[in-house]
Coordinates of all heavy atoms in Angstrom, one line a residue:
S1 N 0.8 -1.2 0.0 CA 0.0 0.0 0.0 C 0.9 1.2 0.0 O 2.0 1.2 0.5 CB -0.9 0.0 1.2 OG -1.9 -0.9 1.2
A2 N 0.3 2.3 -0.5 CA 0.9 3.6 -0.5 C -0.2 4.7 -0.2 O -1.3 4.5 -0.7 CB 1.7 4.0 -1.7
G3 N 0.2 5.7 0.5 CA -0.8 6.8 0.7 C -0.9 7.1 2.2 O 0.1 7.1 2.9
T4 N -2.1 7.3 2.7 CA -2.4 7.7 4.1 C -3.4 6.7 4.7 O -4.0 6.0 3.9 CB -2.9 9.1 4.2 OG1 -4.2 9.1 3.7 CG2 -2.0 10.1 3.5
A5 N -3.5 6.8 6.0 CA -4.5 5.9 6.6 C -5.9 6.2 6.1 O -6.8 5.4 6.1 CB -4.5 6.1 8.1
Q6 N -6.2 7.5 5.7 CA -7.5 7.9 5.2 C -7.7 7.5 3.8 O -8.9 7.3 3.3 CB -7.7 9.4 5.4 CG -7.7 9.8 6.8 CD -6.4 9.9 7.5 OE1 -5.4 10.2 6.8 NE2 -6.3 9.6 8.7
A7 N -6.7 7.4 3.0 CA -6.8 7.1 1.5 C -5.5 6.4 1.0 O -4.5 7.1 0.9 CB -7.1 8.4 0.8
M8 N -5.6 5.1 0.7 CA -4.5 4.4 0.3 C -4.8 3.5 -0.9 O -6.0 3.1 -1.0 CB -3.8 3.6 1.4 CG -4.6 2.4 1.9 SD -3.8 1.5 3.2 CE -3.9 2.7 4.6
T9 N -3.8 3.1 -1.6 CA -4.0 2.1 -2.7 C -3.5 0.8 -2.1 O -2.7 0.7 -1.1 CB -3.2 2.4 -3.9 OG1 -3.4 1.4 -4.9 CG2 -1.7 2.5 -3.6
I10 N -4.0 -0.3 -2.6 CA -3.5 -1.7 -2.3 C -3.2 -2.3 -3.6 O -4.0 -2.4 -4.6 CB -4.6 -2.5 -1.6 CG1 -5.0 -1.8 -0.3 CG2 -4.0 -3.9 -1.3 CD1 -6.2 -2.5 0.4
E11 N -2.0 -2.9 -3.7 CA -1.5 -3.6 -4.9 C -1.1 -5.0 -4.4 O -0.5 -5.2 -3.3 CB -0.4 -2.9 -5.6 CG -0.7 -1.6 -6.1 CD 0.4 -0.8 -6.8 OE1 1.6 -1.4 -6.8 OE2 0.2 0.3 -7.2
V12 N -1.3 -6.0 -5.3 CA -0.8 -7.3 -5.0 C 0.0 -7.8 -6.2 O -0.3 -7.5 -7.4 CB -2.0 -8.3 -4.7 CG1 -2.9 -8.4 -5.9 CG2 -1.5 -9.6 -4.2
R13 N 1.1 -8.5 -5.9 CA 1.9 -9.2 -6.9 C 1.9 -10.7 -6.7 O 2.2 -11.1 -5.6 CB 3.3 -8.6 -6.9 CG 4.2 -9.2 -8.0 CD 5.6 -8.6 -7.9 NE 6.4 -8.9 -9.1 CZ 7.5 -9.6 -9.0 NH1 7.8 -10.3 -7.9 NH2 8.2 -9.8 -10.1
Y14 N 1.4 -11.4 -7.7 CA 1.4 -12.8 -7.6 C 2.4 -13.4 -8.6 O 2.6 -12.8 -9.7 CB 0.0 -13.4 -8.0 CG -1.1 -13.1 -7.1 CD1 -2.3 -12.5 -7.5 CD2 -1.0 -13.4 -5.7 CE1 -3.4 -12.3 -6.7 CE2 -2.1 -13.1 -4.8 CZ -3.2 -12.6 -5.3 OH -4.3 -12.3 -4.5
I15 N 2.9 -14.6 -8.3 CA 3.6 -15.4 -9.3 C 2.5 -16.4 -9.8 O 2.1 -17.2 -9.0 CB 4.8 -16.1 -8.8 CG1 5.8 -15.2 -8.1 CG2 5.5 -17.0 -9.9 CD1 6.4 -14.1 -9.0
E16 N 2.0 -16.2 -11.0 CA 0.9 -17.0 -11.5 C 1.3 -18.4 -11.8 O 2.5 -18.7 -11.9 CB 0.3 -16.3 -12.7 CG -0.2 -14.9 -12.4 CD -1.4 -14.7 -11.6 OE1 -2.0 -15.7 -11.1 OE2 -1.9 -13.6 -11.5
A17 N 0.3 -19.3 -12.1 CA 0.6 -20.7 -12.4 C 1.5 -20.8 -13.7 O 2.2 -21.8 -13.8 CB -0.7 -21.4 -12.6
D18 N 1.5 -19.9 -14.6 CA 2.3 -19.9 -15.8 C 3.7 -19.4 -15.5 O 4.5 -19.3 -16.5 CB 1.6 -19.1 -16.9 CG 1.4 -17.7 -16.6 OD1 1.9 -17.2 -15.5 OD2 0.7 -17.0 -17.4
G19 N 4.0 -19.1 -14.3 CA 5.4 -18.6 -13.9 C 5.6 -17.1 -14.1 O 6.7 -16.6 -13.8
I20 N 4.6 -16.4 -14.6 CA 4.7 -15.0 -14.9 C 4.3 -14.2 -13.6 O 3.3 -14.5 -13.0 CB 3.9 -14.6 -16.1 CG1 4.5 -15.3 -17.3 CG2 3.9 -13.0 -16.3 CD1 3.7 -15.0 -18.6
A21 N 5.1 -13.2 -13.2 CA 4.8 -12.3 -12.1 C 3.9 -11.2 -12.7 O 4.2 -10.6 -13.6 CB 6.0 -11.7 -11.5
R22 N 2.7 -11.0 -12.0 CA 1.8 -10.0 -12.4 C 1.4 -9.2 -11.2 O 1.2 -9.7 -10.1 CB 0.5 -10.6 -13.0 CG 0.8 -11.3 -14.4 CD -0.5 -11.8 -15.0 NE -0.3 -12.4 -16.3 CZ 0.0 -13.7 -16.5 NH1 0.1 -14.5 -15.5 NH2 0.3 -14.1 -17.7
Q23 N 1.3 -7.9 -11.4 CA 0.9 -7.0 -10.3 C -0.4 -6.3 -10.7 O -0.6 -5.9 -11.8 CB 2.0 -5.9 -10.1 CG 1.8 -5.0 -8.9 CD 3.0 -4.3 -8.5 OE1 4.2 -4.8 -8.7 NE2 2.9 -3.2 -7.8
Y24 N -1.3 -6.2 -9.6 CA -2.6 -5.7 -9.8 C -2.9 -4.6 -8.8 O -2.4 -4.7 -7.6 CB -3.6 -6.9 -9.6 CG -3.5 -8.1 -10.4 CD1 -2.6 -9.1 -10.0 CD2 -4.1 -8.2 -11.7 CE1 -2.5 -10.3 -10.8 CE2 -4.0 -9.3 -12.5 CZ -3.2 -10.3 -12.0 OH -3.0 -11.4 -12.8
V25 N -3.8 -3.7 -9.1 CA -4.4 -2.8 -8.2 C -5.6 -3.5 -7.7 O -6.4 -4.0 -8.5 CB -4.7 -1.4 -8.8 CG1 -5.4 -0.5 -7.8 CG2 -3.4 -0.7 -9.2
V26 N -5.9 -3.5 -6.4 CA -7.1 -4.0 -5.8 C -8.2 -3.0 -5.8 O -7.9 -1.8 -5.5 CB -6.8 -4.5 -4.3 CG1 -8.0 -5.1 -3.7 CG2 -5.6 -5.5 -4.3
G27 N -9.4 -3.4 -6.1 CA -10.5 -2.5 -6.1 C -11.8 -3.2 -5.6 O -11.9 -4.4 -5.6
R28 N -12.8 -2.4 -5.2 CA -14.1 -2.9 -4.8 C -14.9 -3.1 -6.1 O -14.8 -2.3 -7.0 CB -14.8 -2.0 -3.9 CG -14.2 -1.9 -2.5 CD -15.1 -0.9 -1.7 NE -14.2 -0.1 -0.9 CZ -13.4 0.9 -1.3 NH1 -13.5 1.3 -2.5 NH2 -12.7 1.5 -0.4
A29 N -15.8 -4.1 -6.0 CA -16.8 -4.2 -7.1 C -18.0 -3.3 -6.8 O -18.3 -3.1 -5.6 CB -17.2 -5.7 -7.3
P30 N -18.7 -2.8 -7.8 CA -18.3 -2.8 -9.2 C -17.3 -1.7 -9.5 O -17.2 -0.8 -8.7 CB -19.7 -2.5 -9.9 CG -20.4 -1.6 -8.9 CD -20.0 -2.1 -7.5
G31 N -16.6 -1.9 -10.5 CA -15.6 -1.0 -11.0 C -15.9 -0.5 -12.4 O -16.2 -1.3 -13.2
D32 N -15.8 0.8 -12.6 CA -16.1 1.4 -13.9 C -14.7 1.8 -14.5 O -14.1 2.8 -14.2 CB -17.0 2.6 -13.8 CG -17.3 3.3 -15.2 OD1 -16.9 2.7 -16.2 OD2 -17.9 4.3 -15.2
Y33 N -14.2 0.9 -15.4 CA -12.9 1.1 -16.0 C -13.0 1.7 -17.4 O -12.0 1.6 -18.1 CB -12.1 -0.2 -15.9 CG -11.9 -0.7 -14.5 CD1 -12.5 -1.8 -14.1 CD2 -11.1 0.1 -13.6 CE1 -12.3 -2.3 -12.8 CE2 -10.9 -0.4 -12.3 CZ -11.5 -1.6 -11.9 OH -11.3 -2.0 -10.6
A34 N -14.2 2.2 -17.8 CA -14.4 2.7 -19.1 C -13.8 4.1 -19.3 O -13.6 4.5 -20.4 CB -15.9 2.7 -19.5
I35 N -13.6 4.8 -18.2 CA -13.1 6.1 -18.2 C -11.6 6.1 -17.6 O -11.2 5.0 -17.1 CB -13.9 7.1 -17.4 CG1 -14.1 6.6 -15.9 CG2 -15.3 7.2 -18.0 CD1 -14.7 7.6 -15.0
E36 N -10.9 7.2 -17.7 CA -9.6 7.2 -17.1 C -9.7 7.3 -15.6 O -10.6 7.8 -15.1 CB -8.8 8.5 -17.7 CG -8.5 8.4 -19.2 CD -7.5 7.2 -19.4 OE1 -6.5 7.1 -18.7 OE2 -7.8 6.4 -20.4
P37 N -8.6 6.8 -14.9 CA -8.6 7.0 -13.4 C -8.8 8.5 -13.0 O -8.2 9.3 -13.7 CB -7.2 6.5 -13.0 CG -6.8 5.6 -14.2 CD -7.4 6.2 -15.4
S38 N -9.5 8.7 -12.0 CA -9.8 10.1 -11.6 C -9.3 10.5 -10.2 O -9.5 11.7 -9.8 CB -11.4 10.3 -11.6 OG -12.0 9.5 -10.7
V39 N -8.6 9.6 -9.6 CA -8.1 9.9 -8.2 C -6.5 9.9 -8.3 O -5.9 8.9 -8.7 CB -8.5 8.9 -7.2 CG1 -7.9 9.2 -5.8 CG2 -10.0 8.9 -7.1
R40 N -5.9 11.0 -8.0 CA -4.4 11.1 -7.9 C -4.0 10.9 -6.5 O -4.4 11.6 -5.6 CB -4.0 12.4 -8.5 CG -2.4 12.5 -8.4 CD -1.9 13.3 -9.4 NE -1.9 12.6 -10.7 CZ -1.3 13.0 -11.8 NH1 -0.6 14.1 -11.8 NH2 -1.3 12.3 -12.9
M41 N -3.2 9.8 -6.3 CA -2.8 9.4 -4.9 C -1.3 9.8 -4.8 O -0.5 9.1 -5.3 CB -3.0 7.9 -4.7 CG -2.4 7.3 -3.5 SD -3.5 7.4 -2.0 CE -5.0 6.8 -2.6
P42 N -1.0 10.9 -4.1 CA 0.4 11.2 -3.8 C 1.0 10.3 -2.7 O 0.3 9.9 -1.8 CB 0.4 12.7 -3.4 CG -1.0 12.9 -2.8 CD -1.9 11.9 -3.5

């Protein structure tokens, strides 16, 4: 995570079954990914 106690991001990195490491941002459902991200997290 990065940010503050009031507003932070959570990312997870897995080594998948195919041996490839992938990193994801965690989000709550539902997520609207049709537009550009609108929150800038310093």
Side-chain angles (χ1 to χ4, degrees):
S1 289
T4 69
Q6 295 76 34
M8 70 179 67
T9 182
I10 302 173
E11 296 177 0
V12 64
R13 183 177 192 249
Y14 292 129
I15 306 300
E16 305 283 6
D18 60 7
I20 297 174
R22 292 183 177 90
Q23 189 161 333
Y24 303 90
V25 174
V26 178
R28 287 179 221 79
D32 181 7
Y33 300 113
I35 58 172
E36 291 297 312
S38 61
V39 177
R40 179 148 284 192
M41 171 85 49

